[in-house]
């Protein structure tokens, strides 16, 4: 019968399609299992709770990453002068002037609402062509103003709970802040912003120090009032002392 023959041809065709679909489905399943379809793990398909393996990186491939990789805290320094140029570079890296922002020049470290609360002091013990003392950094004019004469590194070390690195270093950066500049705009939350900014500025100095072959350490343990006195009875609050020098 012609009808039976048509039906039988249709059945054969349908069966063939089912077999083909099964073969293709099996292949796709196996291929995905053995990563034939995806090169490596397809992290975009990760479900919550699953791990994603990151690509291996070599930090030494870029200069900045190398500096981050190489930096470690250094607490012993060679008994050697630091050049004034290196001191200038270190100061610049904290709150120095950079490219023109929307409303004027901006700074080396980001600042919440560009309120710029940080004030950086320099304690000089052995810097070429710069007499010992405490200086206040003026980034707008790229100048230092001497506020206290004479080597104050021993007193600063004393204020720093006797930490030898401060007394030994040829120079120390002291990052202080006028909190009101930021809290006037942001209220209590501004206090958090100021401390975050001090971290930005300090790490910039650390990395620039590393690039100049210098070493240093973040010092957060000190007596605030004593540090303020050593710096010339300043009103700003000290947040970080960073003694720096040539590595031993
Ligand atoms: C906020 C802060 C405060 C720190 N205070 C001190 C300190 O008072 N004295 C000190 O010797 N190191 C201090 N450090 C340095 C840490 O001890 C040091 O970064 C840490 O041991 C990790 O070692 P690394 O810097 O070599 O990676 C401080 C670090 C930070 C970030």
């Amino acid at each position: 019968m012609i009808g039976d023959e048509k039906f039988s041809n249709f059945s054969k065709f349908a069966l063939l399609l089912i077999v083909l679909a099964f073969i293709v489905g099996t292949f796709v399943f196996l291929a995905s299992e053995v990563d034939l379809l995806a090169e490596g793990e397809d992290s975009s398909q990760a479900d919550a709770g699953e791990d994603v393996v990151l690509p291996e990186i070599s930090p030494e491939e870029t200069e900045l990453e190398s500096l981050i990789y190489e930096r470690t805290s250094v607490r012993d320094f060679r008994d050697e002068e630091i050049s004034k140029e290196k001191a200038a570079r270190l100061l610049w890296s904290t709150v120095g002037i950079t490219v023109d922002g929307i409303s004027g020049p901006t700074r080396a470290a980001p600042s919440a609402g560009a309120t710029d609360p940080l004030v950086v002091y320099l304690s000089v013990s052995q810097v070429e062509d710069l007499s010992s003392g405490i200086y206040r950094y003026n980034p707008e004019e790229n100048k230092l103003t001497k506020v206290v004469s004479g080597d104050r590194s021993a007193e600063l070390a004393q204020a720093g709970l006797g930490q030898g690195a401060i007394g030994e270093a040829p120079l120390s950066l002291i990052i202080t802040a006028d909190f009101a500049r930021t809290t006037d705009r942001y209220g209590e939350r501004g206090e958090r912003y100021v401390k975050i900014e001090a971290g930005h500025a300090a790490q910039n100095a650390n990395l620039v120090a590393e690039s100049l072959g210098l070493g240093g350490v973040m010092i957060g343990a000190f007596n605030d009032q004593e540090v303020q006195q050593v710096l010339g009875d300043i009103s700003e609050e000290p947040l970080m002392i960073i003694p720096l020098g040539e590595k031993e």
Side-chain angles (χ1 to χ4, degrees):
M1 299 270 287
I2 292 174
D4 284 351
E5 202 175 305
K6 267 189 185 166
F7 179 75
S8 144
N9 282 345
F10 178 75
S11 307
K12 279 182 194 162
F13 182 65
L15 192 65
L16 187 69
L17 276 182
I18 290 166
V19 170
L20 271 175
F22 179 76
I23 292 170
V24 169
T26 307
F27 176 76
V28 168
F29 172 75
L30 288 175
S32 66
E33 281 296 295
V34 295
D35 267 355
L36 279 179
L37 288 182
E39 219 180 80
E41 294 190 23
D42 185 358
S43 56
S44 63
Q45 300 303 315
D47 290 324
E50 278 183 7
D51 292 338
V52 173
V53 178
L54 293 171
E56 289 288 330
I57 60 149
S58 312
E60 58 278 1
E61 274 174 22
T62 74
E63 195 185 348
L64 179 57
E65 286 163 339
S66 304
L67 295 171
I68 294 170
Y69 185 74
E70 296 293 332
R71 184 215 61 83
T72 56
S73 290
V74 173
R75 297 177 179 83
D76 296 299
F77 310 104
R78 286 217 298 268
D79 187 13
E80 237 175 64
E81 279 195 330
I82 288 202
S83 72
K84 194 156 56 172
E85 190 197 318
K86 285 186 179 179
R89 289 183 187 280
L90 292 166
L91 286 161
W92 172 82
S93 73
T94 57
V95 292
I97 302 297
T98 58
V99 291
D100 271 1
I102 294 164
S103 55
T106 190
R107 305 294 188 97
S111 170
T115 47
D116 298 328
L118 302 182
V119 178
V120 178
Y121 288 84
L122 178 70
S123 168
V124 172
S125 175
Q126 291 182 79
V127 177
E128 186 189 44
D129 294 332
L130 200 56
S131 57
S132 301
I134 305 291
Y135 296 79
R136 189 180 208 265
Y137 178 46
N138 176 342
E140 283 86 4
E141 296 184 55
N142 191 34
K143 276 185 186 163
L144 288 172
T145 305
K146 194 170 206 177
V147 289
V148 181
S149 294
D151 188 345
R152 303 289 155 170
S153 55
E155 288 166 53
L156 196 58
Q158 203 54 43
L161 315 184
Q163 298 193 59
I166 305 172
E168 206 187 294
L171 68 77
S172 288
L173 299 174
I174 304 101
I175 297 179
T176 74
D178 175 356
F179 276 73
R181 286 193 208 166
T182 307
T183 52
D184 281 354
R185 187 179 308 177
Y186 296 109
E188 209 177 296
R189 197 165 186 84
E191 289 179 20
R192 175 196 297 225
Y193 293 162
V194 173
K195 291 170 190 169
I196 292 170
E197 290 179 31
H200 292 314
Q203 180 68 343
N204 277 359
N206 261 321
L207 295 178
V208 167
E210 189 67 38
S211 77
L212 298 173
L214 304 174
V217 57
M218 304 281 186
I219 300 250
F222 50 75
N223 180 301
D224 295 349
Q225 287 73 38
E226 286 178 28
V227 170
Q228 285 175 312
Q229 276 169 17
V230 176
L231 299 185
D233 284 323
I234 60 164
S235 57
E236 298 96 353
E237 288 184 41
L239 293 171
M240 192 75 77
I241 301 175
I242 315 173
L244 293 149
E246 302 285 347
K247 293 181 194 174
E248 276 201 317

